[in-house]
Amino acid sequence: MPERELRVCALYPDLMNIYADRGNLLLLERRCQWRGIGFSVRASGLGDELDPDGADLYYIGGGQDRDQRLCALDLAEVKRDALHAVADRDGVILAVCGGYQLLGHSYQLGDESLPGAGLVDLHTVRSDGPRLIGNVAIEVELQPGRPHVLAGFENHGGRTHLGPGVRPLGKVLKGHGNNGTDGHEGVIAGNVIGTYLHGPLLPKNAWFADWLIATALRLPDPLPALDDALEAAAHADARRAAGL
Ligand code: GLN
């Protein structure tokens, strides 16, 4: 039995999982296993109470507006308090695209305003303009003086706006990011992270997967190195696709 285990809770895995976001969970599992760290994943679907101490990392993938509507109401009515408790104890919450849009105050779809989990001061508005689609690369500085590139793919109709003083996850090098205008991508507030990057995100950015594992388990970062030839090739490919 490994003495340590990364416990992941996937929120709405049957509804919020477009663009192979499940690959993110698979990569976390493999990188734990390869290092002798245990891994477990459980699902929390519509109507399920969320245990704020039951996982080290909570994950919400991308989704269509239709499915987001169901999840937004459930987040607001069933899981909101538990998610706030996770954030308050510095648990890791990672939300991609449609999931990211539900971290804030609201997702405005025409006349309808979907509630968010209220974890971060941000809001999203569905635009009548073109969807923001394409390969994307951002520069991220999780530790001062140690910039890294995240590369992936984005496809969203919503434009996200961060409140004053809220820190973006990164600065757009190529692509659209939060809203196509301010050069910001994603959000990071404590250990609550939102991003528009699919790809899937983690197989193309193994360094970020390791940072999430280390942060969620309170392990020293960097973790022991792995043979990352394939991951490095996927990352290089994603950078090239974005035109870096
Ligand atoms: N439905 C949302 C939008 O279009 C999110 C899409 C996604 O998760 N790719 O903005």
Side-chain angles (χ1 to χ4, degrees):
M1 278 283 284
E3 47 185 83
R4 268 192 295 262
E5 177 179 286
L6 180 71
R7 300 166 306 153
V8 173
C9 178
L11 274 70
Y12 319 112
D14 48 344
L15 294 169
M16 303 289 282
N17 61 19
I18 53 178
Y19 288 114
D21 290 328
R22 281 196 183 110
N24 291 328
L25 300 181
L26 204 55
L27 191 90
L28 289 174
E29 177 175 9
R30 294 289 157 79
R31 294 186 79 76
C32 283
Q33 281 172 352
W34 289 332
R35 295 188 172 101
I37 300 172
F39 180 89
S40 64
V41 59
R42 71 176 58 183
S44 184
L46 294 178
D48 295 340
E49 293 291 334
L50 191 69
D51 177 0
D53 298 308
D56 309 298
L57 189 153
Y58 293 76
Y59 179 77
I60 319 178
Q64 313 281 1
D65 291 348
R66 185 187 57 231
D67 296 325
Q68 279 176 278
R69 192 171 278 119
L70 297 171
C71 298
L73 298 175
D74 186 77
L75 271 180
E77 285 163 18
V78 183
K79 300 185 177 54
R80 184 187 166 100
D81 291 349
L83 278 175
H84 280 259
V86 173
D88 289 346
R89 67 163 177 81
D90 277 337
V92 174
I93 300 174
L94 173 64
V96 173
C97 200
Y100 167 36
Q101 295 172 337
L102 301 183
L103 291 183
H105 301 301
S106 57
Y107 179 25
Q108 188 75 34
L109 288 157
D111 293 338
E112 188 184 6
S113 180
L114 301 182
L119 288 168
V120 191
D121 179 16
L122 62 83
H123 71 280
T124 300
V125 180
R126 184 75 150 88
S127 160
D128 291 335
R131 294 186 70 79
L132 304 181
I133 305 180
N135 294 297
V136 52
I138 67 173
E139 185 177 273
V140 174
E141 203 169 303
L142 296 173
Q143 285 128 330
R146 285 182 57 192
H148 281 285
V149 170
L150 281 179
F153 181 77
E154 61 183 327
N155 181 351
H156 49 110
R159 271 61 165 168
T160 296
H161 303 275
L162 306 184
V166 176
R167 183 177 161 202
L169 176 61
K171 126 176 142 213
V172 175
L173 300 173
K174 296 280 178 178
H176 304 287
N178 281 342
N179 47 53
T181 55
D182 66 13
H184 292 160
E185 204 297 310
V187 75
I188 179 162
N191 289 339
V192 178
I193 295 150
T195 178
Y196 273 112
L197 272 68
H198 297 272
L201 171 70
L202 300 184
K204 291 186 174 173
N205 300 281
W207 70 267
F208 188 52
D210 285 354
W211 180 83
L212 291 167
I213 295 168
T215 304
L217 290 179
R218 317 256 189 274
L219 298 174
D221 178 41
L223 296 173
L226 296 170
D227 173 2
D228 277 339
L230 277 176
E231 289 79 358
H235 181 75
D237 210 43
R239 288 173 77 119
R240 257 195 310 276
L244 276 196

